[in-house]
Amino acid sequence: MIKTIRLKIPQWQGGNNPTYSLGSDLLSFLVPKNLEQKEITVPIPEYEEPLVKENGVTAQSIVAENVSETMAIIQEEAPDKIITLGGDCLVSQAPFDYLHGKYGEELGIIWIDAHPDISTPDVFFNEHAMVLGNLLNDGDPVLAEKVQHLFAAKDVLYVGLQKPTADEEVILERLGLDYQVQDQERITPAEIKEWLKKQQFTKVVVHFDLDVLDPKEFRMLYFAEPGVTDYSAEAGKMSLLEVKETMEAIAEQSEIVGLTVAELLPWDVRNLKNLLKDFDIFR
């Protein structure tokens, strides 16, 4: 019998925003229920005081411990498939590492994201922007060292990627990562299936960062924070329908053994929660 587990990882330190934790709680409520899929919550420290940089990385020791704790849970459960409910994007590291060890060269990665997530501490400071780099033995050296089953550049297909920064372009070229900026045109479902077929990936893990979505259509994103108009990165442009078609194409060609849904930022839910906590009747 195939064993599938759900990992609820309310990690927020990788993006230095406690609202990611609330996003994980909400995803746990929203995803379709399956009583045969055990859900496990990875214990993540809650916000107590501002995070500090270590070796140029925000909360490096905390996120490193979170990854180790996640991997320990996965290894104890020994699943065949993993659904990961983040939290920030770093939550993909341990599940994808484990599944690569289980399926080896059969396994590819499809990274549905507006951003490449291959930064290093030299160019950025939040770990969630380094997670794919870590899996490729780059990124943050401390977190990359934890990866037991490294991926190669040929194993990765970006979907929904927006224009990288100048620093990211240099890293992408150095790593040999092929990519297509998806502005007016996107990688089609047929092209995705062709890539999986050509690479002979019978299994696939999918990283779905919600910020790949167009904030004009979906609002619970980094790029839709109330009162904020200036952002340091490019917003996503994919529609909900395009993501659905992408997932259907992947499943038609290969078996999805890992899915991460990450970076839900429910601003209105957070603000309402903060408002209600001060109502006297609830005390």
Side-chain angles (χ1 to χ4, degrees):
M1 181 177 177
I2 295 174
K3 180 178 180 179
T4 302
I5 64 169
R6 301 172 187 231
L7 289 177
K8 177 188 168 189
I9 311 180
Q11 178 176 271
W12 59 274
Q13 295 90 347
N16 197 11
N17 190 330
T19 307
Y20 284 124
S21 178
L22 182 59
S24 180
D25 292 338
L26 191 54
L27 281 172
S28 177
F29 169 76
L30 290 172
V31 296
K33 300 300 179 185
N34 185 332
L35 296 179
E36 294 182 356
Q37 297 174 351
K38 179 180 180 182
E39 183 167 305
I40 304 161
T41 299
V42 178
I44 301 294
E46 296 183 358
Y47 179 86
E48 293 183 354
E49 56 188 26
L51 302 177
V52 298
K53 291 181 183 177
E54 306 163 70
N55 303 312
V57 179
T58 306
Q60 186 182 59
S61 60
I62 295 175
V63 295
E65 179 58 32
N66 291 345
V67 169
S68 295
E69 180 71 23
T70 303
M71 181 58 85
I73 290 171
I74 294 170
Q75 290 175 333
E76 182 176 352
E77 292 292 328
D80 301 296
K81 299 183 180 183
I82 303 173
I83 299 164
T84 305
L85 308 173
D88 62 68
C89 279
L90 184 63
V91 299
S92 280
Q93 178 163 326
F96 287 13
D97 180 11
Y98 166 85
L99 290 167
H100 197 205
K102 184 175 184 64
Y103 296 111
E105 294 184 358
E106 291 183 74
L107 186 74
I109 296 180
I110 294 186
W111 206 262
I112 308 175
D113 199 326
H115 312 110
D117 290 352
I118 42 71
S119 289
T120 66
D122 294 332
V123 301
F124 196 58
F125 44 84
N126 285 344
E127 192 74 49
H128 68 157
M130 307 179 201
V131 55
L132 183 55
N134 298 342
L135 290 165
L136 294 168
N137 198 30
D138 204 73
D140 175 2
V142 173
L143 271 290
E145 189 176 354
K146 290 184 169 293
V147 179
Q148 301 170 39
H149 308 284
L150 294 166
F151 288 87
K154 66 176 181 60
D155 301 331
V156 180
L157 177 68
Y158 283 116
V159 176
L161 188 68
Q162 298 305 304
K163 183 174 175 55
T165 66
D167 289 323
E168 289 170 340
E169 287 179 342
V170 171
I171 298 170
L172 286 163
E173 182 175 357
R174 174 170 58 78
L175 293 176
L177 280 163
D178 187 25
Y179 67 97
Q180 174 184 329
V181 174
Q182 297 177 62
D183 189 359
Q184 300 301 322
E185 296 184 6
R186 67 183 178 106
I187 295 177
T188 67
E191 289 172 325
I192 292 169
K193 290 194 285 187
E194 179 59 30
W195 181 81
L196 288 166
K197 182 179 180 180
K198 180 180 179 181
Q199 300 298 104
Q200 298 182 333
F201 291 136
T202 61
K203 317 285 185 186
V204 67
V205 288
V206 178
H207 176 90
F208 176 28
D209 180 346
L210 289 162
D211 71 19
V212 79
L213 294 168
D214 188 333
K216 294 190 292 292
E217 179 178 0
F218 186 80
R219 304 291 299 168
M220 290 192 287
L221 306 171
Y222 169 74
F223 298 99
E225 183 176 1
V228 178
T229 57
D230 187 27
Y231 299 96
S232 60
E234 293 284 335
K237 292 185 171 65
M238 288 188 77
S239 68
L240 293 166
L241 177 59
E242 287 170 339
V243 172
K244 178 182 179 181
E245 291 172 346
T246 296
M247 291 298 296
E248 289 173 344
I250 296 168
E252 286 174 10
Q253 185 63 43
S254 302
E255 182 180 12
I256 300 174
V257 295
L259 171 65
T260 294
V261 185
E263 308 241 337
L264 182 68
L265 286 167
W267 306 113
D268 291 342
V269 175
R270 180 200 66 182
N271 293 340
L272 180 60
K273 181 180 179 181
N274 289 340
L275 172 67
L276 293 175
K277 73 179 182 181
D278 293 327
F279 285 15
D280 183 72
I281 196 170
F282 295 131
R283 296 176 184 150

